[in-house]
Coordinates of all heavy atoms in Angstrom, one line a residue:
M12 N -56.0 20.6 -8.8 CA -54.7 20.0 -9.3 C -54.8 19.9 -10.8 O -53.8 20.3 -11.5 CB -54.5 18.7 -8.6 CG -53.2 18.0 -9.0 SD -51.8 18.8 -8.3 CE -50.5 17.6 -8.7
K13 N -55.8 19.3 -11.3 CA -56.0 19.1 -12.8 C -55.9 20.5 -13.5 O -55.2 20.7 -14.5 CB -57.3 18.4 -13.1 CG -57.0 17.0 -13.5 CD -58.1 16.5 -14.5 CE -57.7 15.1 -14.9 NZ -58.6 14.1 -14.4
K14 N -56.7 21.5 -12.9 CA -56.8 22.8 -13.5 C -55.4 23.4 -13.6 O -55.0 24.1 -14.5 CB -57.7 23.7 -12.7 CG -59.1 23.6 -13.3 CD -60.0 24.7 -12.6 CE -61.4 24.5 -13.1 NZ -62.4 24.8 -12.1
L15 N -54.7 23.3 -12.5 CA -53.3 23.9 -12.4 C -52.4 23.3 -13.5 O -51.7 24.0 -14.1 CB -52.8 23.6 -11.0 CG -51.4 24.2 -10.7 CD1 -51.4 25.7 -10.9 CD2 -51.0 23.9 -9.3
L16 N -52.5 22.0 -13.6 CA -51.7 21.3 -14.6 C -52.0 21.8 -16.0 O -51.1 22.1 -16.9 CB -51.8 19.8 -14.6 CG -51.2 19.1 -13.4 CD1 -51.4 17.6 -13.4 CD2 -49.7 19.4 -13.4
V17 N -53.3 22.0 -16.3 CA -53.7 22.5 -17.6 C -53.2 23.9 -17.8 O -52.7 24.2 -18.9 CB -55.3 22.4 -17.7 CG1 -55.8 23.2 -19.0 CG2 -55.8 21.0 -17.7
A18 N -53.3 24.7 -16.8 CA -52.9 26.1 -16.8 C -51.4 26.1 -17.1 O -50.9 26.8 -18.0 CB -53.2 26.8 -15.5
L19 N -50.6 25.3 -16.4 CA -49.2 25.2 -16.6 C -48.8 24.7 -18.0 O -47.9 25.2 -18.6 CB -48.6 24.2 -15.6 CG -48.4 24.7 -14.2 CD1 -48.1 23.6 -13.2 CD2 -47.4 25.8 -14.1
A20 N -49.6 23.8 -18.5 CA -49.4 23.3 -19.9 C -49.6 24.4 -20.9 O -48.8 24.5 -21.9 CB -50.3 22.1 -20.2
C21 N -50.6 25.2 -20.7 CA -50.9 26.3 -21.6 C -49.7 27.3 -21.6 O -49.3 27.8 -22.6 CB -52.2 27.0 -21.2 SG -53.6 26.0 -21.5
V22 N -49.3 27.7 -20.4 CA -48.2 28.7 -20.3 C -47.0 28.2 -21.0 O -46.4 28.9 -21.7 CB -47.9 28.9 -18.8 CG1 -46.7 29.8 -18.6 CG2 -49.1 29.6 -18.1
S23 N -46.6 26.9 -20.7 CA -45.4 26.4 -21.2 C -45.4 26.2 -22.7 O -44.4 26.2 -23.4 CB -45.0 25.1 -20.5 OG -45.8 24.1 -20.9
S24 N -46.6 25.9 -23.3 CA -46.7 25.7 -24.7 C -46.4 27.0 -25.5 O -46.1 26.9 -26.7 CB -48.1 25.1 -25.1 OG -49.0 26.1 -24.9
L25 N -46.4 28.1 -24.8 CA -46.1 29.4 -25.5 C -44.6 29.6 -25.6 O -44.2 30.3 -26.5 CB -46.7 30.5 -24.7 CG -48.3 30.6 -24.6 CD1 -48.7 31.7 -23.7 CD2 -48.9 30.7 -26.0
S26 N -43.9 28.9 -24.7 CA -42.5 29.1 -24.7 C -41.8 28.0 -25.5 O -42.4 27.1 -25.9 CB -41.9 29.1 -23.3 OG -42.2 27.8 -22.7
F27 N -40.5 28.2 -25.7 CA -39.7 27.3 -26.5 C -39.8 25.9 -25.8 O -39.7 25.8 -24.6 CB -38.2 27.8 -26.5 CG -37.3 26.9 -27.4 CD1 -37.6 26.6 -28.7 CD2 -36.2 26.4 -26.8 CE1 -36.8 25.8 -29.4 CE2 -35.3 25.6 -27.6 CZ -35.7 25.3 -28.9
A28 N -39.9 24.8 -26.6 CA -40.2 23.5 -26.1 C -39.1 23.0 -25.2 O -39.4 22.2 -24.2 CB -40.3 22.5 -27.3
A29 N -37.8 23.4 -25.3 CA -36.8 22.9 -24.5 C -36.6 23.6 -23.2 O -35.8 23.2 -22.4 CB -35.4 23.0 -25.3
D30 N -37.4 24.6 -22.9 CA -37.4 25.3 -21.7 C -37.8 24.4 -20.5 O -38.8 23.8 -20.6 CB -38.3 26.5 -21.7 CG -37.6 27.7 -22.4 OD1 -36.4 27.6 -22.8 OD2 -38.3 28.7 -22.6
Y31 N -37.0 24.4 -19.5 CA -37.4 23.6 -18.3 C -38.1 24.4 -17.3 O -37.6 25.5 -16.9 CB -36.1 23.0 -17.7 CG -36.4 22.2 -16.4 CD1 -37.3 21.2 -16.5 CD2 -35.8 22.5 -15.2 CE1 -37.6 20.5 -15.3 CE2 -36.1 21.8 -14.1 CZ -37.0 20.8 -14.1 OH -37.3 20.1 -13.0
D32 N -39.3 23.9 -16.9 CA -40.1 24.6 -15.9 C -40.0 23.7 -14.6 O -40.5 22.7 -14.6 CB -41.5 24.7 -16.4 CG -42.4 25.3 -15.3 OD1 -42.1 25.3 -14.1 OD2 -43.5 25.8 -15.7
P33 N -39.2 24.2 -13.6 CA -39.0 23.4 -12.4 C -40.3 23.0 -11.7 O -40.4 21.8 -11.2 CB -38.2 24.3 -11.4 CG -37.7 25.4 -12.3 CD -38.6 25.5 -13.5
V34 N -41.3 23.8 -11.7 CA -42.6 23.5 -11.0 C -43.3 22.4 -11.8 O -43.7 21.4 -11.2 CB -43.5 24.7 -10.9 CG1 -44.8 24.4 -10.3 CG2 -42.8 25.8 -10.0
K35 N -43.4 22.6 -13.1 CA -44.0 21.6 -13.9 C -43.3 20.2 -13.9 O -43.8 19.2 -13.8 CB -44.1 22.1 -15.3 CG -45.0 21.3 -16.2 CD -45.1 21.9 -17.6 CE -45.9 21.0 -18.5 NZ -45.8 21.5 -19.9
G36 N -41.9 20.3 -13.9 CA -41.1 19.1 -13.9 C -41.3 18.3 -12.6 O -41.5 17.1 -12.7
E37 N -41.4 19.0 -11.5 CA -41.6 18.3 -10.2 C -43.0 17.7 -10.2 O -43.2 16.6 -9.7 CB -41.3 19.2 -9.1 CG -41.3 18.5 -7.7 CD -40.8 19.3 -6.6 OE1 -40.2 20.4 -6.8 OE2 -40.9 18.7 -5.4
M38 N -44.0 18.5 -10.6 CA -45.3 18.0 -10.5 C -45.6 16.8 -11.3 O -46.2 15.8 -10.9 CB -46.3 19.1 -11.1 CG -46.5 20.1 -10.1 SD -48.1 20.3 -9.6 CE -48.1 22.0 -10.1
L39 N -45.1 16.8 -12.6 CA -45.2 15.6 -13.4 C -44.5 14.4 -12.9 O -44.9 13.3 -13.0 CB -44.7 15.9 -14.8 CG -45.5 17.0 -15.6 CD1 -44.7 17.4 -16.9 CD2 -46.9 16.4 -16.1
S40 N -43.4 14.7 -12.2 CA -42.5 13.6 -11.6 C -43.2 13.0 -10.4 O -42.8 11.9 -10.0 CB -41.2 14.2 -11.3 OG -40.6 14.7 -12.4
L41 N -44.2 13.7 -9.8 CA -44.8 13.1 -8.6 C -45.4 11.7 -9.0 O -45.5 10.8 -8.2 CB -46.0 14.0 -8.1 CG -45.6 15.3 -7.5 CD1 -46.8 16.2 -7.2 CD2 -44.8 15.1 -6.2
S42 N -45.9 11.6 -10.3 CA -46.5 10.4 -10.7 C -45.5 9.2 -10.8 O -46.0 8.1 -10.9 CB -47.2 10.6 -12.1 OG -46.2 10.6 -13.1
C43 N -44.3 9.5 -10.7 CA -43.3 8.4 -10.7 C -42.9 7.9 -9.3 O -42.3 6.8 -9.2 CB -42.0 8.9 -11.5 SG -42.3 9.9 -12.9
F44 N -43.1 8.8 -8.3 CA -42.6 8.5 -7.0 C -43.1 7.2 -6.4 O -42.5 6.5 -5.7 CB -42.9 9.7 -6.0 CG -42.1 11.0 -6.3 CD1 -41.3 11.1 -7.4 CD2 -42.3 12.1 -5.5 CE1 -40.6 12.3 -7.6 CE2 -41.6 13.3 -5.7 CZ -40.8 13.3 -6.8
S45 N -44.4 6.9 -6.7 CA -45.1 5.8 -6.1 C -44.3 4.5 -6.4 O -44.3 3.6 -5.6 CB -46.5 5.7 -6.5 OG -46.6 5.6 -7.9
C46 N -43.7 4.4 -7.6 CA -43.0 3.2 -7.9 C -41.5 3.3 -7.8 O -40.8 2.4 -7.4 CB -43.3 2.8 -9.4 SG -45.0 2.3 -9.6
H47 N -41.0 4.5 -8.1 CA -39.5 4.7 -8.1 C -39.0 5.3 -6.9 O -37.8 5.7 -6.8 CB -39.1 5.5 -9.4 CG -39.2 4.8 -10.6 ND1 -38.2 3.9 -11.1 CD2 -40.2 4.8 -11.6 CE1 -38.6 3.4 -12.2 NE2 -39.8 3.9 -12.6
G48 N -39.8 5.6 -5.9 CA -39.4 6.2 -4.6 C -39.4 7.7 -4.7 O -39.4 8.3 -5.8
T49 N -39.5 8.4 -3.6 CA -39.5 9.8 -3.6 C -38.2 10.3 -4.3 O -37.1 9.9 -4.0 CB -39.5 10.3 -2.1 OG1 -40.6 9.8 -1.5 CG2 -39.6 11.9 -2.1
D50 N -38.4 11.3 -5.2 CA -37.3 11.8 -6.0 C -36.5 10.7 -6.8 O -35.4 10.9 -7.2 CB -36.3 12.6 -5.1 CG -36.8 14.0 -4.8 OD1 -37.7 14.5 -5.6 OD2 -36.4 14.6 -3.8
G51 N -37.2 9.6 -7.1 CA -36.6 8.6 -7.9 C -35.5 7.7 -7.2 O -34.8 7.0 -7.8
K52 N -35.5 7.9 -5.8 CA -34.5 7.1 -5.1 C -35.1 5.8 -4.6 O -35.6 5.7 -3.5 CB -34.0 7.9 -3.9 CG -33.2 9.2 -4.4 CD -32.8 10.1 -3.2 CE -32.1 11.3 -3.7 NZ -31.9 12.3 -2.7
S53 N -35.2 4.9 -5.5 CA -35.9 3.7 -5.2 C -35.4 2.8 -4.1 O -34.2 2.7 -3.9 CB -35.9 2.8 -6.5 OG -36.7 1.6 -6.3
V54 N -36.3 2.3 -3.3 CA -36.0 1.4 -2.2 C -36.6 0.0 -2.5 O -36.5 -0.9 -1.6 CB -36.4 1.9 -0.8 CG1 -35.6 3.1 -0.4 CG2 -37.9 2.3 -0.8
A55 N -37.2 -0.1 -3.6 CA -37.9 -1.4 -3.9 C -37.3 -2.0 -5.2 O -36.1 -1.8 -5.5 CB -39.4 -1.1 -4.2
V56 N -38.0 -2.9 -5.8 CA -37.5 -3.6 -7.0 C -37.4 -2.7 -8.2 O -36.6 -3.1 -9.2 CB -38.3 -4.9 -7.4 CG1 -38.2 -5.9 -6.3 CG2 -39.8 -4.5 -7.6
T57 N -38.1 -1.6 -8.2 CA -38.0 -0.7 -9.4 C -36.6 -0.1 -9.5 O -36.0 0.2 -8.4 CB -39.1 0.4 -9.3 OG1 -39.1 0.8 -7.9 CG2 -40.4 -0.1 -9.7
P58 N -36.1 0.2 -10.7 CA -34.8 0.8 -10.8 C -34.8 2.2 -10.2 O -35.7 3.0 -10.3 CB -34.5 0.8 -12.3 CG -35.7 0.3 -13.0 CD -36.7 -0.1 -12.0
Q59 N -33.6 2.6 -9.7 CA -33.4 4.0 -9.2 C -33.2 4.9 -10.5 O -32.5 4.5 -11.4 CB -32.1 4.0 -8.4 CG -31.5 5.3 -8.3 CD -31.0 5.6 -6.8 OE1 -31.8 5.4 -5.9 NE2 -29.8 6.1 -6.7
I60 N -33.9 5.9 -10.5 CA -33.8 6.8 -11.7 C -33.3 8.2 -11.3 O -33.0 9.0 -12.2 CB -35.2 7.0 -12.4 CG1 -36.3 7.5 -11.5 CG2 -35.6 5.7 -13.1 CD1 -37.6 7.8 -12.2
A61 N -33.1 8.5 -10.0 CA -32.5 9.7 -9.6 C -31.1 9.9 -10.1 O -30.3 8.9 -10.1 CB -32.5 9.8 -8.1
G62 N -30.8 11.0 -10.7 CA -29.4 11.3 -11.1 C -29.0 10.6 -12.4 O -27.9 10.7 -12.8
M63 N -30.0 10.0 -13.1 CA -29.7 9.5 -14.5 C -29.4 10.7 -15.4 O -29.9 11.7 -15.2 CB -30.8 8.6 -15.0 CG -30.8 7.2 -14.6 SD -32.3 6.3 -15.2 CE -31.9 6.0 -16.9
G64 N -28.7 10.5 -16.5 CA -28.5 11.5 -17.5 C -29.8 11.9 -18.1 O -30.6 11.1 -18.4
K65 N -29.9 13.2 -18.4 CA -31.1 13.7 -19.0 C -31.5 13.1 -20.3 O -32.6 12.7 -20.6 CB -31.0 15.3 -19.1 CG -32.2 16.0 -19.7 CD -31.9 17.5 -19.5 CE -32.2 18.2 -20.8 NZ -32.0 19.6 -20.8
T66 N -30.5 13.0 -21.2 CA -30.7 12.4 -22.5 C -31.1 11.0 -22.4 O -32.0 10.5 -23.1 CB -29.4 12.6 -23.4 OG1 -29.0 14.0 -23.2 CG2 -29.7 12.4 -24.8
T67 N -30.3 10.2 -21.6 CA -30.6 8.8 -21.4 C -32.1 8.6 -20.9 O -32.8 7.8 -21.4 CB -29.7 8.2 -20.4 OG1 -28.3 8.5 -20.7 CG2 -29.8 6.7 -20.3
L68 N -32.4 9.4 -19.9 CA -33.8 9.3 -19.4 C -34.8 9.6 -20.5 O -35.8 8.8 -20.6 CB -34.0 10.3 -18.3 CG -33.8 9.8 -16.8 CD1 -33.8 11.0 -15.9 CD2 -34.9 8.9 -16.4
Y69 N -34.6 10.7 -21.2 CA -35.6 11.1 -22.2 C -35.7 10.0 -23.3 O -36.8 9.6 -23.7 CB -35.1 12.4 -22.8 CG -36.1 13.0 -23.8 CD1 -37.4 13.2 -23.5 CD2 -35.7 13.3 -25.1 CE1 -38.3 13.8 -24.4 CE2 -36.5 13.8 -26.0 CZ -37.9 14.0 -25.7 OH -38.7 14.6 -26.6
Q70 N -34.6 9.5 -23.8 CA -34.6 8.5 -24.8 C -35.3 7.2 -24.3 O -36.1 6.6 -25.0 CB -33.1 8.1 -25.2 CG -32.5 9.1 -26.2 CD -33.3 9.3 -27.4 OE1 -33.9 8.4 -27.9 NE2 -33.4 10.5 -27.9
T71 N -35.0 6.8 -23.1 CA -35.6 5.6 -22.5 C -37.1 5.8 -22.4 O -37.9 4.9 -22.8 CB -35.1 5.4 -21.1 OG1 -33.6 5.3 -21.1 CG2 -35.6 4.1 -20.5
L72 N -37.6 6.9 -22.0 CA -39.0 7.2 -21.9 C -39.7 7.2 -23.2 O -40.8 6.7 -23.4 CB -39.3 8.5 -21.1 CG -38.8 8.5 -19.6 CD1 -38.9 9.9 -19.1 CD2 -39.6 7.5 -18.8
L73 N -39.0 7.8 -24.2 CA -39.6 7.8 -25.6 C -39.7 6.4 -26.1 O -40.7 6.1 -26.8 CB -38.7 8.7 -26.5 CG -38.8 10.2 -26.4 CD1 -37.9 10.8 -27.5 CD2 -40.2 10.6 -26.6
E74 N -38.7 5.6 -25.8 CA -38.7 4.2 -26.3 C -39.9 3.4 -25.7 O -40.5 2.6 -26.4 CB -37.4 3.5 -26.1 CG -36.3 4.0 -27.0 CD -34.9 3.5 -26.6 OE1 -34.8 2.6 -25.8 OE2 -33.9 4.2 -27.0
Y75 N -40.1 3.6 -24.4 CA -41.3 3.0 -23.8 C -42.5 3.5 -24.4 O -43.5 2.7 -24.7 CB -41.3 3.3 -22.3 CG -40.4 2.6 -21.4 CD1 -39.6 3.3 -20.4 CD2 -40.3 1.2 -21.4 CE1 -38.7 2.6 -19.6 CE2 -39.4 0.5 -20.6 CZ -38.7 1.2 -19.7 OH -37.8 0.5 -18.8
K76 N -42.6 4.7 -24.8 CA -43.8 5.3 -25.3 C -44.1 4.8 -26.7 O -45.2 4.5 -27.1 CB -43.7 6.9 -25.3 CG -45.0 7.5 -25.6 CD -44.9 9.0 -25.6 CE -46.0 9.7 -26.3 NZ -45.8 11.2 -26.4
N77 N -43.0 4.7 -27.6 CA -43.2 4.3 -28.9 C -43.1 2.8 -29.1 O -43.2 2.2 -30.2 CB -42.4 5.0 -29.9 CG -40.9 4.7 -29.7 OD1 -40.5 3.6 -29.3 ND2 -40.0 5.7 -30.1
G78 N -43.0 2.0 -28.0 CA -43.1 0.6 -28.0 C -41.8 -0.1 -28.4 O -41.8 -1.4 -28.6
T79 N -40.7 0.6 -28.6 CA -39.5 -0.1 -29.0 C -38.7 -0.6 -27.8 O -37.7 -1.4 -27.9 CB -38.5 0.8 -29.8 OG1 -38.3 2.0 -29.0 CG2 -39.1 1.2 -31.1
R80 N -39.1 -0.3 -26.5 CA -38.4 -0.8 -25.3 C -39.5 -1.6 -24.5 O -40.5 -1.0 -24.2 CB -37.8 0.3 -24.5 CG -37.2 -0.3 -23.2 CD -36.6 0.9 -22.4 NE -35.4 1.4 -22.9 CZ -34.2 1.3 -22.4 NH1 -34.0 0.6 -21.3 NH2 -33.2 1.9 -23.0
P81 N -39.3 -2.9 -24.2 CA -40.3 -3.6 -23.5 C -40.3 -3.3 -22.0 O -39.3 -2.9 -21.5 CB -40.0 -5.1 -23.7 CG -38.5 -5.0 -24.0 CD -38.2 -3.7 -24.6
G82 N -41.4 -3.4 -21.4 CA -41.5 -3.2 -19.9 C -42.9 -3.7 -19.4 O -43.8 -3.8 -20.2
T83 N -43.0 -3.9 -18.1 CA -44.2 -4.3 -17.5 C -45.1 -3.1 -17.3 O -46.3 -3.1 -17.7 CB -44.0 -5.0 -16.2 OG1 -43.1 -4.3 -15.4 CG2 -43.5 -6.4 -16.4
M84 N -44.6 -2.0 -16.6 CA -45.3 -0.9 -16.2 C -45.1 0.4 -17.1 O -46.0 1.1 -17.4 CB -45.1 -0.5 -14.8 CG -45.6 -1.5 -13.7 SD -47.2 -2.1 -14.1 CE -48.1 -0.6 -14.1
M85 N -43.9 0.6 -17.4 CA -43.5 1.8 -18.1 C -44.2 2.1 -19.4 O -44.6 3.3 -19.6 CB -41.9 1.9 -18.3 CG -41.2 2.0 -17.0 SD -41.8 3.4 -16.0 CE -41.4 4.8 -17.0
P86 N -44.4 1.1 -20.3 CA -45.1 1.5 -21.5 C -46.5 2.0 -21.3 O -46.9 2.9 -22.0 CB -45.1 0.1 -22.3 CG -44.0 -0.6 -21.7 CD -43.9 -0.2 -20.3
K87 N -47.1 1.5 -20.2 CA -48.5 2.0 -19.9 C -48.4 3.4 -19.3 O -49.2 4.2 -19.6 CB -49.2 1.0 -18.9 CG -49.4 -0.4 -19.4 CD -50.0 -1.3 -18.4 CE -50.1 -2.7 -18.8 NZ -48.8 -3.3 -19.0
H88 N -47.5 3.6 -18.4 CA -47.4 4.8 -17.7 C -47.1 6.0 -18.6 O -47.7 7.1 -18.5 CB -46.4 4.8 -16.5 CG -46.5 5.9 -15.6 ND1 -47.5 6.1 -14.7 CD2 -45.7 7.0 -15.5 CE1 -47.3 7.2 -14.1 NE2 -46.2 7.8 -14.5
V89 N -46.1 5.9 -19.5 CA -45.7 7.0 -20.2 C -46.6 7.5 -21.4 O -46.5 8.5 -21.9 CB -44.2 6.8 -20.8 CG1 -43.2 6.8 -19.8 CG2 -44.2 5.6 -21.7
K90 N -47.6 6.6 -21.7 CA -48.5 6.9 -22.8 C -49.3 8.2 -22.4 O -49.8 8.8 -23.3 CB -49.4 5.7 -23.1 CG -48.7 4.6 -23.8 CD -49.5 3.9 -24.8 CE -48.6 3.1 -25.7 NZ -47.9 2.0 -25.0
G91 N -49.5 8.5 -21.2 CA -50.2 9.7 -20.8 C -49.5 11.0 -20.9 O -50.0 12.0 -20.5
F92 N -48.2 10.9 -21.3 CA -47.4 12.1 -21.3 C -47.0 12.5 -22.8 O -46.8 11.7 -23.6 CB -46.0 11.8 -20.6 CG -46.1 11.6 -19.1 CD1 -46.7 10.5 -18.6 CD2 -45.7 12.6 -18.3 CE1 -46.8 10.3 -17.2 CE2 -45.8 12.5 -16.9 CZ -46.4 11.3 -16.4
S93 N -47.0 13.8 -23.0 CA -46.5 14.3 -24.3 C -45.0 14.2 -24.3 O -44.4 14.1 -23.2 CB -47.0 15.8 -24.5 OG -46.3 16.6 -23.6
D94 N -44.4 14.3 -25.4 CA -42.9 14.3 -25.5 C -42.3 15.4 -24.7 O -41.3 15.3 -24.0 CB -42.4 14.4 -27.0 CG -42.8 13.1 -27.8 OD1 -43.4 12.2 -27.2 OD2 -42.4 13.1 -28.9
E95 N -42.9 16.6 -24.8 CA -42.5 17.7 -24.0 C -42.5 17.5 -22.5 O -41.6 17.9 -21.8 CB -43.3 19.0 -24.4 CG -42.7 20.3 -24.2 CD -43.1 20.9 -22.8 OE1 -44.2 20.5 -22.3 OE2 -42.3 21.6 -22.2
E96 N -43.6 16.8 -22.1 CA -43.7 16.5 -20.6 C -42.7 15.5 -20.2 O -42.1 15.6 -19.1 CB -45.1 16.0 -20.3 CG -46.2 17.1 -20.4 CD -47.6 16.6 -20.3 OE1 -47.8 15.4 -20.7 OE2 -48.5 17.4 -19.9
L97 N -42.4 14.6 -21.1 CA -41.3 13.6 -20.8 C -39.9 14.3 -20.6 O -39.1 13.9 -19.8 CB -41.3 12.5 -21.8 CG -42.5 11.5 -21.8 CD1 -42.3 10.5 -23.0 CD2 -42.7 10.8 -20.5
M98 N -39.7 15.3 -21.4 CA -38.5 16.1 -21.3 C -38.4 16.8 -20.0 O -37.4 16.9 -19.3 CB -38.4 17.1 -22.5 CG -37.2 18.0 -22.4 SD -35.6 17.1 -22.3 CE -35.2 16.9 -24.0
Q99 N -39.6 17.4 -19.5 CA -39.6 18.0 -18.2 C -39.3 17.0 -17.1 O -38.5 17.3 -16.2 CB -41.0 18.6 -17.9 CG -41.5 19.6 -18.9 CD -40.9 21.0 -18.7 OE1 -40.5 21.3 -17.6 NE2 -40.8 21.7 -19.8
V100 N -39.9 15.8 -17.2 CA -39.6 14.8 -16.2 C -38.2 14.3 -16.2 O -37.5 14.2 -15.2 CB -40.6 13.6 -16.5 CG1 -40.2 12.4 -15.7 CG2 -42.0 14.0 -16.1
A101 N -37.6 14.1 -17.4 CA -36.3 13.7 -17.6 C -35.3 14.7 -16.9 O -34.3 14.4 -16.3 CB -35.9 13.5 -19.0
T102 N -35.6 16.0 -17.2 CA -34.8 17.1 -16.6 C -34.8 17.1 -15.1 O -33.8 17.2 -14.4 CB -35.2 18.4 -17.2 OG1 -35.2 18.4 -18.6 CG2 -34.2 19.5 -16.8
Y103 N -36.1 16.9 -14.6 CA -36.2 16.9 -13.1 C -35.4 15.8 -12.5 O -34.6 16.1 -11.6 CB -37.7 16.7 -12.7 CG -37.9 16.6 -11.2 CD1 -37.9 17.7 -10.4 CD2 -38.0 15.3 -10.6 CE1 -38.0 17.6 -9.1 CE2 -38.1 15.3 -9.2 CZ -38.1 16.4 -8.5 OH -38.2 16.3 -7.1
F104 N -35.5 14.6 -12.9 CA -34.7 13.5 -12.3 C -33.2 13.6 -12.5 O -32.5 13.2 -11.6 CB -35.3 12.1 -12.8 CG -36.6 11.7 -12.1 CD1 -37.7 11.7 -12.9 CD2 -36.7 11.5 -10.8 CE1 -38.9 11.4 -12.3 CE2 -37.9 11.2 -10.2 CZ -39.0 11.1 -10.9
S105 N -32.8 14.2 -13.6 CA -31.4 14.4 -13.9 C -30.8 15.4 -12.9 O -29.6 15.4 -12.7 CB -31.1 14.8 -15.3 OG -31.5 16.1 -15.5
T106 N -31.6 16.3 -12.3 CA -31.1 17.3 -11.4 C -31.0 16.7 -9.9 O -30.4 17.4 -9.1 CB -31.9 18.5 -11.3 OG1 -33.2 18.2 -10.8 CG2 -32.1 19.2 -12.7
I107 N -31.5 15.5 -9.7 CA -31.5 15.0 -8.3 C -30.2 14.3 -8.1 O -29.8 13.5 -8.9 CB -32.7 14.0 -8.1 CG1 -34.0 14.6 -8.5 CG2 -32.7 13.4 -6.7 CD1 -34.5 15.7 -7.6
K108 N -29.6 14.6 -6.9 CA -28.3 13.8 -6.6 C -28.7 12.5 -5.9 O -29.6 12.4 -5.1 CB -27.5 14.7 -5.6 CG -27.1 16.0 -6.2 CD -25.6 16.2 -6.0 CE -25.1 17.6 -6.5 NZ -25.9 18.2 -7.6
R109 N -28.0 11.4 -6.4 CA -28.3 10.1 -5.8 C -28.0 10.0 -4.3 O -27.0 10.6 -3.9 CB -27.5 9.0 -6.5 CG -28.0 8.7 -7.9 CD -27.2 7.7 -8.6 NE -27.7 7.6 -10.0 CZ -28.0 6.4 -10.5 NH1 -27.9 5.3 -9.8 NH2 -28.5 6.3 -11.7
Ligands
HEC203 C1 -46.6 1.6 -11.8 C2 -45.2 1.7 -11.4 C3 -44.3 2.7 -12.1 C4 -44.5 4.1 -12.4 C5 -45.7 4.9 -11.9 C6 -43.3 4.6 -13.1 N1 -42.4 3.5 -13.3 FE1 -40.6 3.7 -14.3 N2 -40.4 1.7 -14.1 C7 -41.2 0.8 -13.4 C8 -40.8 -0.5 -13.6 C9 -41.5 -1.8 -13.1 C10 -39.6 -0.5 -14.4 C11 -38.8 -1.6 -15.0 C12 -39.2 -1.8 -16.5 C13 -40.7 -2.3 -16.6 O1 -40.9 -3.4 -16.2 O2 -41.5 -1.5 -17.1 C14 -39.4 1.0 -14.7 C15 -38.3 1.4 -15.4 C16 -38.0 2.8 -15.6 C17 -36.9 3.3 -16.3 C18 -35.7 2.5 -16.8 C19 -34.6 2.5 -15.8 C20 -33.5 1.6 -16.2 O3 -32.4 1.8 -15.6 O4 -33.6 0.9 -17.2 C21 -37.0 4.7 -16.3 C22 -36.0 5.7 -16.9 C23 -38.2 5.0 -15.6 N3 -38.8 3.8 -15.2 C24 -38.7 6.3 -15.4 C25 -40.0 6.6 -14.9 C26 -40.5 7.9 -14.9 C27 -39.8 9.1 -15.3 C28 -41.8 7.8 -14.4 C29 -42.8 8.9 -14.2 C30 -43.2 9.6 -15.4 C31 -42.0 6.4 -14.0 N4 -40.9 5.7 -14.4 C32 -43.1 5.9 -13.5 C33 -42.4 1.2 -12.7 C34 -43.0 2.4 -12.7

């Protein structure tokens, strides 16, 4: 799994940063399912993120990462992602219908 992610990261870094890779987007998004529900359709106290706007999602994630938006879990979680990976994740959830 790790090796595959590294391989995918290498492949995608050769292409234009804004290119969306559906496989990579879904893989990175798996890490969100445990709290936000499968495909971001939350059934718990965590907010539903399925179907949010791509730009809103990306901005929100960047704010958690750079510390300008407070949170209990999100600031910790997004620190493991590059900005490009957050864009992949944002695109993935924006394509899911609520
Ligand atoms: C450990 C549990 C956990 C994980 C994993 C997690 N989240 Fe969250 N998320 C939360 C919680 C809790 C909140 C509410 C804000 C806070 O307290 O951090 C939140 C808030 C958010 C919000 C803000 C929603 C809104 O309407 O304000 C977005 C967007 C979001 N998460 C996206 C993601 C994405 C994308 C991932 C995967 C990269 C992810 N989260 C992984 C727990 C988690």
Side-chain angles (χ1 to χ4, degrees):
M12 183 70 173
K13 256 210 174 111
K14 267 190 185 145
L15 182 57
L16 287 178
V17 171
L19 285 168
C21 292
V22 170
S23 71
S24 67
L25 296 174
S26 62
F27 183 56
D30 279 355
Y31 177 56
D32 177 341
V34 175
K35 192 177 176 190
E37 186 167 354
M38 279 239 239
L39 292 167
S40 301
L41 292 175
S42 76
C43 321
F44 292 1
S45 56
C46 295
H47 286 280
T49 305
D50 281 338
K52 296 174 181 170
S53 179
V54 289
V56 292
T57 41
Q59 159 136 315
I60 56 173
M63 274 176 79
K65 183 171 130 181
T66 314
T67 311
L68 262 170
Y69 183 58
Q70 279 307 321
T71 305
L72 295 172
L73 281 185
E74 284 167 22
Y75 282 131
K76 192 178 162 186
N77 66 29
T79 54
R80 179 183 287 250
T83 48
M84 290 317 302
M85 289 310 294
K87 298 177 185 68
H88 190 75
V89 293
K90 289 215 164 65
F92 291 75
S93 70
D94 292 2
E95 199 269 332
E96 286 169 337
L97 291 178
M98 178 52 92
Q99 300 284 330
V100 167
T102 308
Y103 176 78
F104 285 111
S105 72
T106 64
I107 306 290
K108 298 231 184 330
R109 285 176 185 234

